[in-house]
Amino acid sequence: MLLYKIEDFNPHYRQAAFDDDDIKGLDVYGGSTYDKIGTIDTVLVDETGRFRYFVVETGSWIFDKKVLLPIALCRIDFNGRRVYAINLRSKDQVEKLPRYEHGMVVDYDYEEQVRGIYRTSTVEASVPVEASLPLEAPVRVSTTHSVSPQASNPAYDRDTYTYDREPELYQINEQDHQKLKLYEERLVADKTRRQTGEVIIGKQVETKTVQLQLPVKQERVVIERTTPEYAGSRVTPDTAFKQEEMVHFEIYEETVNIKKQAFVREEVQVRKEVEQDTVEATDTVRREELDVKTEWESERKKSNPL
């Protein structure tokens, strides 16, 4: 059966299977003390969209090596952003796993090498539900059922093998992958603009009487009579008593011509300014918190009500 990377099988896998979250990039914890051993690189799904393997980038243990982790051998903690590899217990186990490369064909022989590392002699008999990723639909789950443990040397070949033969490797434990969303209310304010007034700015003409004082000049002729020192001196008849002898003066004066002319007196700029104020709003909001009660606490209260 062909396997596909989840992003190639359905580009919208985040909305279809993970409520717009992403499984890629989650830290992977394993080993005997559950230390960080790498991150989720991608997920491999089969032709029906069912999850089959996590591709784990094991940078913490073996640098630059990607290996396959069967989907049922892990526990996903979305809230903690972690994936716990339940059966990936040692570095030696990772070194034995065949290397995975993007673009390679994962065939039956390759998967048998992977399965051979993870198979154990005992398997839990209770098998949980199985999740799938359809092409354009939410995740489907099937009902819970029970199977017998898989033998260490199964009687099958490349033509008869199906993933249903080993549910301990390929069927997701729904109880180990539950997500609980906690909600809270927040005050969300929306602002609207409303008109509170109107200002009209125009011009009007005012009149007033202005007095203007301007000095002007006027010319006049002044005649002065004096007795010269040479008075009484004789003159010839040809010099005196000439009828045509006279003096001409042009007399001027200044007059005022008054007219009105407009000049720029001042300039007025009109603009709006925004003043910011703070408005306080108070309301009651709700928030959800976890209320964890263990089963043994409930039984103790029943047996000892006081």
Side-chain angles (χ1 to χ4, degrees):
M1 182 175 290
L2 295 178
L3 296 177
Y4 306 89
K5 292 193 296 184
I6 191 172
E7 61 269 26
D8 296 335
F9 186 82
N10 183 3
H12 307 289
Y13 71 92
R14 293 179 56 180
Q15 296 83 1
F18 301 110
D19 294 334
D20 207 25
D21 204 345
D22 200 349
I23 192 71
K24 296 166 61 176
L26 296 188
D27 293 332
V28 180
Y29 289 78
S32 58
T33 58
Y34 281 111
D35 297 323
K36 181 179 177 180
I37 62 174
T39 57
I40 297 297
D41 182 74
T42 188
V43 182
L44 298 184
V45 299
D46 62 18
E47 295 173 337
T48 65
R50 289 181 172 83
F51 302 165
R52 296 309 181 188
Y53 298 99
F54 282 135
V55 178
V56 180
E57 176 69 58
T58 59
S60 299
W61 278 3
I62 303 176
F63 181 72
D64 197 26
K65 181 178 182 181
K66 298 182 180 69
V67 297
L68 299 188
L69 173 63
I71 197 72
L73 300 183
C74 67
R75 180 172 61 85
I76 306 174
D77 180 6
F78 283 101
N79 295 326
R81 306 292 299 170
R82 293 184 174 189
V83 174
Y84 293 96
I86 301 173
N87 280 28
L88 201 58
R89 309 303 293 171
S90 65
K91 183 177 179 181
D92 180 67
Q93 187 181 16
V94 176
E95 291 177 342
K96 292 179 180 179
L97 286 169
R99 182 184 300 272
Y100 173 83
E101 300 289 346
H102 289 303
M104 68 179 296
V105 177
V106 179
D107 56 13
Y108 172 81
D109 294 333
Y110 179 90
E111 287 190 84
E112 274 297 287
Q113 296 181 51
V114 174
R115 286 190 285 264
I117 303 299
Y118 289 110
R119 287 188 182 113
T120 57
S121 58
T122 58
V123 182
E124 294 182 1
S126 178
V127 178
V129 299
E130 181 180 90
S132 63
L133 179 63
L135 287 173
E136 297 292 340
V139 173
R140 297 194 305 265
V141 295
S142 62
T143 58
T144 302
H145 56 282
S146 298
V147 296
S148 58
Q150 179 67 35
S152 59
N153 295 316
Y156 57 78
D157 55 25
R158 67 178 63 250
D159 298 324
T160 60
Y161 182 83
T162 62
Y163 293 112
D164 295 336
R165 288 178 174 269
E166 295 182 280
E168 66 277 5
L169 296 180
Y170 298 109
Q171 286 187 309
I172 298 176
N173 187 336
E174 187 182 56
Q175 293 182 353
D176 286 343
H177 303 282
Q178 297 185 62
K179 294 176 63 175
L180 179 61
K181 294 184 178 180
L182 300 180
Y183 296 90
E184 68 177 6
E185 292 179 328
R186 298 180 181 178
L187 294 182
V188 180
D190 188 16
K191 297 185 291 185
T192 58
R193 299 183 67 209
R194 62 182 181 90
Q195 182 175 344
T196 59
E198 185 178 14
V199 177
I200 301 176
I201 301 176
K203 297 190 301 182
Q204 63 180 7
V205 179
E206 297 180 351
T207 60
K208 66 179 181 177
T209 301
V210 179
Q211 291 183 351
L212 181 63
Q213 294 182 353
L214 186 67
V216 294
K217 295 179 180 180
Q218 294 179 343
E219 295 179 346
R220 62 188 178 88
V221 177
V222 178
I223 300 176
E224 295 181 352
R225 292 183 179 186
T226 62
T227 300
E229 294 179 355
Y230 55 85
S233 300
R234 291 180 180 181
V235 295
T236 61
D238 297 334
T239 304
F241 305 108
K242 293 182 179 180
Q243 295 294 330
E244 67 276 4
E245 186 176 3
M246 59 183 65
V247 177
H248 293 273
F249 288 96
E250 294 181 351
I251 306 300
Y252 294 92
E253 70 174 4
E254 293 177 335
T255 60
V256 179
N257 298 321
I258 298 177
K259 61 181 180 179
K260 294 183 287 185
Q261 186 174 352
F263 295 89
V264 176
R265 179 169 63 91
E266 64 177 329
E267 186 177 66
V268 178
Q269 294 183 351
V270 180
R271 69 179 186 274
K272 295 191 300 181
E273 292 184 351
V274 178
E275 295 182 353
Q276 184 168 335
D277 197 3
T278 301
V279 178
E280 294 185 357
T282 304
D283 202 348
T284 302
V285 297
R286 297 173 296 174
R287 177 176 175 174
E288 296 179 342
E289 295 289 349
L290 286 178
D291 185 9
V292 181
K293 296 181 180 179
T294 60
E295 184 177 353
W296 68 270
E297 288 178 343
S298 301
E299 295 297 331
R300 184 181 60 181
K301 291 180 180 178
K302 291 180 181 179
S303 61
N304 189 12
L306 298 180

